[in-house]
Amino acid sequence: MDSISIQLPASKSISNRVLILNALTNWKLNLINLSEAKDTKDLYECLQSDKEVLDIGEGATSLRFLLAFLCYKNQVKTIFCGPSLKIRPIQTLLKVLNEFHCEFEYLEENGKLPVKIVQGIHGNCPEEIQIDTSISSQFVSAMLLIAPYLKNGLKIQFTNQIVSEPYINMTLKLMQHFGVQFIKNLSSIQVFSGKYQMLDYRIDSDWSSASFFYAWLALQDSGSMYFPGLKMSGLQGDEVIASFFLNFGIESIIEADGIHIIKNESLLPDAIDFDFTNCPDLFPPICMFCAIRKIISTFRGLQHLVHKESNRLKILNDFLSVQSVEIKLYENDSRQLTGFYRMDLFNSNIEKVYSAHMDHRIAMAFSLLNVIRKIEIVNPEVVNKSFPGYWEAFNKVCK
């Protein structure tokens, strides 16, 4: 396989955060290479809209950030969303906003969208709050982004285990870049009041999207790919994918304008053990790769996969079970899935057609099956949520 240049999308996670910062500065930041993902476009349109009724689509990050922002602005708005987002957790953030005297009217079911913001943040607000960080880091990030604009700043105390902590760190690093000061320790973050500075900012390419191409190259005998705009800056937690695939012969070479990856000969490890607590989006490509490569694998930190666009744990569990993969799934004392798979069998007689389950990362994970045989994915356009050009890029590597 010849060297192939893959144009990855800009990071959706970074884009959504800096969009909120830009809105808080009344659109005075110069953002370069903003993501074209549908989630980011939906957030941008909602932030720019003068309408009283908004539709945030299917983006959980977009919704949570938008809700906190609109409440800070004390704007009376009604927010609608797509069907899968209706069932994703939002109650933790709503509870926190209630502490800031926000009032909501639920149009269908209590604590779920669609919701009308009747009253935003006002009055004497708490200077310290607690947030349950065991379900999503986005509740913390949503409050962090508006925290400098609160009269006395805000101190956030964490309760329970923190999941996806690199995304909280991403939020803080971006806030720091734009001039906000904070103090972070193991159990809390203190954000001081201030304003975001008007600076230029270029959004890096997305590591979550790169992970599927790392997996594809690792399934080949040889080859190389180049990702312009991809950087190892420490900002995106999913950079860890480079270290993971180093075990499978994928060397990542940092260049001036991107990253070049090369497949070298290597011995497959007998078994691996990987914790997804801080990088849940890497579970679909790593899980599928290990199944195809017949790597005995122990996967931990899977408890919050049930709260994604789909129940990714169940979907991949069901798929692998049909393929005669030996699977054991354990639960810890709190009945949360801590995860693990033992995979040492794989039946190559796979089906020809697969449902994406309206989940962009499930669609991308199933695309890796093309290394075994040509398959078709129902509703392939679901990848537009994060990577509109995925199929064009994937077809380049399949040639």
Side-chain angles (χ1 to χ4, degrees), residues 250-265:
I250 302 295
E251 180 183 4
S252 299
I253 302 171
I254 300 174
E255 300 186 358
D257 300 319
I259 291 181
H260 192 195
I261 63 174
I262 301 173
K263 173 65 183 293
N264 299 314
E265 290 186 9

Side-chain angles (χ1 to χ4, degrees), residues 33-101:
N33 194 37
L34 194 69
S35 171
E36 295 183 357
K38 188 176 186 304
D39 283 4
T40 300
K41 289 183 175 180
D42 288 340
L43 176 59
Y44 178 77
E45 290 175 4
C46 287
L47 290 170
Q48 290 276 1
S49 178
D50 293 328
K51 298 178 180 178
E52 293 186 5
V53 178
L54 306 175
D55 189 338
I56 197 60
E58 292 284 8
T61 307
S62 305
L63 165 64
R64 294 157 182 171
F65 291 1
L66 176 68
L67 186 61
F69 171 82
L70 292 177
C71 284
Y72 162 72
K73 287 292 189 177
N74 201 1
Q75 295 186 13
V76 177
K77 300 274 190 177
T78 300
I79 306 174
F80 285 82
C81 68
S84 69
L85 188 54
K86 286 185 179 182
I87 62 175
R88 297 187 68 179
I90 193 69
Q91 291 86 350
T92 297
L93 180 58
L94 292 168
K95 179 181 177 182
V96 168
L97 291 170
N98 284 149
E99 295 181 39
F100 288 82
H101 315 298

Side-chain angles (χ1 to χ4, degrees), residues 157-331:
Q157 293 275 0
F158 306 144
T159 65
N160 299 318
Q161 178 190 17
I162 303 176
V163 298
S164 301
E165 187 172 8
Y167 288 93
I168 295 176
N169 295 334
M170 173 190 288
T171 303
L172 291 172
K173 289 176 181 178
L174 290 169
M175 293 168 63
Q176 186 177 51
H177 176 83
F178 286 97
V180 166
Q181 296 182 334
F182 61 87
I183 297 174
K184 180 178 184 289
N185 59 40
L186 293 176
S187 60
S188 68
I189 303 171
Q190 173 73 61
V191 179
F192 300 101
S193 62
K195 303 292 182 182
Y196 295 118
Q197 298 175 4
M198 291 173 284
L199 302 171
D200 295 348
Y201 189 81
R202 174 177 286 276
I203 294 98
D204 294 342
S205 293
D206 182 45
W207 274 96
S208 304
S209 300
S211 66
F212 296 93
F213 293 95
Y214 267 82
W216 178 263
L217 185 57
L219 291 169
Q220 312 303 314
D221 294 330
S222 63
S224 64
M225 297 181 189
Y226 178 65
F227 304 116
L230 191 63
K231 297 180 180 180
M232 287 188 178
S233 63
L235 192 59
Q236 300 180 57
D238 285 355
E239 286 180 22
V240 71
I241 197 70
S243 298
F244 176 84
F245 277 109
L246 187 61
N247 298 312
F248 300 95
I250 302 295
E251 180 183 4
S252 299
I253 302 171
I254 300 174
E255 300 186 358
D257 300 319
I259 291 181
H260 192 195
I261 63 174
I262 301 173
K263 173 65 183 293
N264 299 314
E265 290 186 9
S266 66
L267 294 175
L268 293 178
D270 293 331
I272 62 164
D273 187 316
F274 195 83
D275 189 338
F276 291 92
T277 300
N278 288 326
C279 51
D281 286 343
L282 296 184
F283 174 71
I286 288 179
C287 177
M288 191 64 73
F289 167 79
C290 290
I292 294 172
R293 270 286 182 242
K294 305 177 184 177
I295 305 296
I296 298 174
S297 311
T298 300
F299 294 158
R300 295 173 288 110
L302 308 179
Q303 64 271 20
H304 50 312
L305 289 175
V306 299
H307 302 302
K308 297 297 181 178
E309 283 82 348
S310 66
N311 186 337
R312 292 174 182 169
L313 185 61
K314 182 179 186 306
I315 289 170
L316 291 176
N317 177 63
D318 291 347
F319 165 74
L320 294 173
S321 295
V322 171
Q323 300 305 322
S324 302
V325 177
E326 180 187 349
I327 297 171
K328 298 177 183 177
L329 187 61
Y330 290 90
E331 297 179 353

Side-chain angles (χ1 to χ4, degrees), residues 1 12 148 180 191 226 280 366 368 380 393:
M1 184 172 63
K12 177 166 66 80
V180 166
V191 179
Y226 178 65
F366 281 147
L368 298 176

